[in-house]
Amino acid sequence: MDDQLSIMDESYYLYGNLPSKFNNFIYIGNASSSCNKVYMKSIGITHVIRIGINLIDHYPEEFLYFTISENDTIEDNLYPYFIPTYDFIENVNKIDG
């Protein structure tokens, strides 16, 4: 219990927030939460979907990244990424990632 608490305390103070659970295998977070390897590993995250320009894979040896190279603004058309993103999520679901 103390280890879990210290992981959560460290995450909160170092990165500002934690990813939120969306369903049994999807969490939603921001750039800060995606930099917290200890917490991500502790909750079983294995794959990361990101939207942004010039993003760095912080832990390529630990997580598989799928990157959408757009700014995620109202001007950006994210529609072309829907099917590839869906396919990525489905593949993760099939392997219990």
Side-chain angles (χ1 to χ4, degrees):
M1 179 69 175
D2 290 337
D3 289 338
Q4 186 71 6
L5 183 58
S6 65
I7 289 170
M8 291 179 70
D9 288 346
E10 177 184 350
S11 300
Y12 180 79
Y13 291 111
L14 289 179
Y15 303 109
N17 49 18
L18 302 173
S20 301
K21 190 172 186 175
F22 180 74
N23 64 22
N24 288 336
F25 69 98
I26 295 178
Y27 287 80
I28 298 174
N30 61 20
S32 295
S33 61
S34 72
C35 293
N36 190 332
K37 179 174 79 169
V38 172
Y39 188 74
M40 289 171 50
K41 299 280 290 177
S42 77
I43 59 175
I45 291 176
T46 58
H47 295 68
V48 177
I49 298 171
R50 307 160 323 150
I51 300 175
I53 303 295
N54 298 324
L55 298 175
I56 297 169
D57 295 345
H58 291 285
Y59 309 107
E61 69 286 351
E62 302 287 338
F63 306 103
L64 181 62
Y65 292 90
F66 178 83
T67 303
I68 298 170
S69 294
E70 297 288 346
N71 282 320
D72 193 18
T73 65
I74 196 146
E75 292 85 23
D76 293 307
N77 180 12
L78 299 179
Y79 181 75
Y81 300 99
F82 285 12
I83 291 175
T85 303
Y86 173 83
D87 291 342
F88 182 81
I89 292 168
E90 282 299 302
N91 286 332
V92 172
N93 191 26
K94 286 179 188 173
I95 62 168
D96 291 326

